Amino acid sequence: MRPESAALSHPVSSSDSLAVASPSLPPAPRPRSERLLALSSTEFDLLVIGGGVTGSGIARDASLRGLRVALVEREDFASGTSSRSSRLIHGGVRYLEHGHLGLVFESSIERYRLLRLAPHLVRPLAFVWPVYQGARIPRWKLAAGLKLYDALALFRNVKGSRSLNASQLSEAVPGLRTDGLRGGSRYYDAATDDARLTFINALAASEAGAIVLNHVSVRSLVVQDGRARGATVVDSLTGQQLTIRARAIVNATGPWSDEIRKLDAANNGNGPTVRGSKGVHISVPRERLPTDCALTLLSPVDGRVMFILPAHSHTIIGTTETATRAHPSEVRASVSDVDYLLTSANGFFPNAHLAREDVVSAWAGIRPLVASAYSGAGDAGSASREHAIHTSPTGVLAISGGKLTTYRVMARDMVDAVEHALGLPHRKAPTHSLPLPGGDIPSLDAELASARSTVGHEDIATHLVRAYGSRWRQVWALTREQPFLSEPLAPGLPYIRAEAVHGVTHELVHTLSDLLVRRLKVSFETRDLGRAAARIAASDMAPLLGWSPQDVERQLADYSRDVERLFGIDPADA
């Protein structure tokens, strides 16, 4: 296991203990046909539109409070911004510069919790921040800011920050430019798999009683006596149209929020509540830019904060923050985005000589920032990441802003608002202490050791525990029944064919993109964007989903178009 994924000790205080149960293997979700029937035959307390991390968190929180909940997602869970992030659970050290202390405090507390609620998915990560002569943030100011960062975390981070001199910093990051290096600091945040963190919240909602469906799009709202009382939806897999009845509706569609608002006739003429900014990342082979820790850097191009992040066999460079006119479904990296990130990285690693041909994949997402959070200059980088809740004249509740790290707080605040709107007594969901699916692990090190002993292949064992937590045995058990399922989906990567079968039976996978883009990271980590792996996965998924040979070819063509839409690089900015 590489150093950046090694577990660091972080004891839980008695005041923030977790409700840890012994690991168990839950049953598979209800069949899709049953869940579709429940959508049209049940009157729900709450309909959540949008299966990103916020919507999935809302559905989980509301279900744990005893509400009857339906969650629908037009594409797949985390198919938007929630699978295109920097994959960080962090306090937001760069927000200190803009004075967003409340957000940093809140984010730091949530980081502390998520390290315990999902120790398989959220892991400590050391960051190094080098300081060069003439830097916008001098060494003394950085050290002082990181001490404040520690304080806002109530000194409960994995470790406290530490100043480094130039020699120590060069030793920590081989290959880093030494010309003008004055030293820097080391501090700690956490890394995650953003798409899986989103999905396990949707899965947790389902296990708490919610009716959860992906590939179901909202076509219209049902308004009775001036109040929104449901929605007409279409199942894109069957073409079936349904009407969902619900006492309250939440719009948690992120950058698509204003599209849902347009379905609410009472909102016509109102300005946008969301103003998106585009963030682009690129992935290069680890050997081209090897680093065991993450780096926080000030780009030599424009001085904005960016990261270089270790990610298994690859290194991620990001992110940009620019205005875009692209639709959220079509946003992609441009040549200028890629060149900006390569130039920035080469500025700190001059011997790397990174070029466009080194880029394995490039992806873009839109941050759904609150429109009113922008400064007068309209700078996305200084816009607040605080979240806001709006209520339409028909009673539709919408949430915007926020960040991956604070999704649980956003969900809590929204369900509080739903309770108020429905006149219900306030109840508190135990989302602050109840582990997420797979997170019921007394010792991550012991779980990893058990997996290595059972699986016999370190990379595969580590991946299974990191992806599924205590539920990794459920995946590996498939290989005992059918040994060929232990074969890799892609050469050199730890993903195995059993995950395609388990994805269909237990993780609401219905398309190749559901599996290879979001449940796994195959598309991000292969130069063909997972096209070869798709054919292998399709052969294992076809019997379970009833695909004919013709269906398989259509699914492969759909997948190829989908990854081109997500990972293609545009010649010009949109």
Side-chain angles (χ1 to χ4, degrees), residues 370-393:
V370 180
S372 61
Y374 276 73
S375 65
D379 175 24
S382 63
S384 174
R385 268 57 174 175
E386 302 281 357
H387 62 275
I389 295 173
H390 305 274
T391 305
S392 81

Side-chain angles (χ1 to χ4, degrees), residues 2 4 126 144 154 213 352 465:
R2 290 192 170 93
E4 82 279 2
L154 303 180
L213 280 142
V465 173

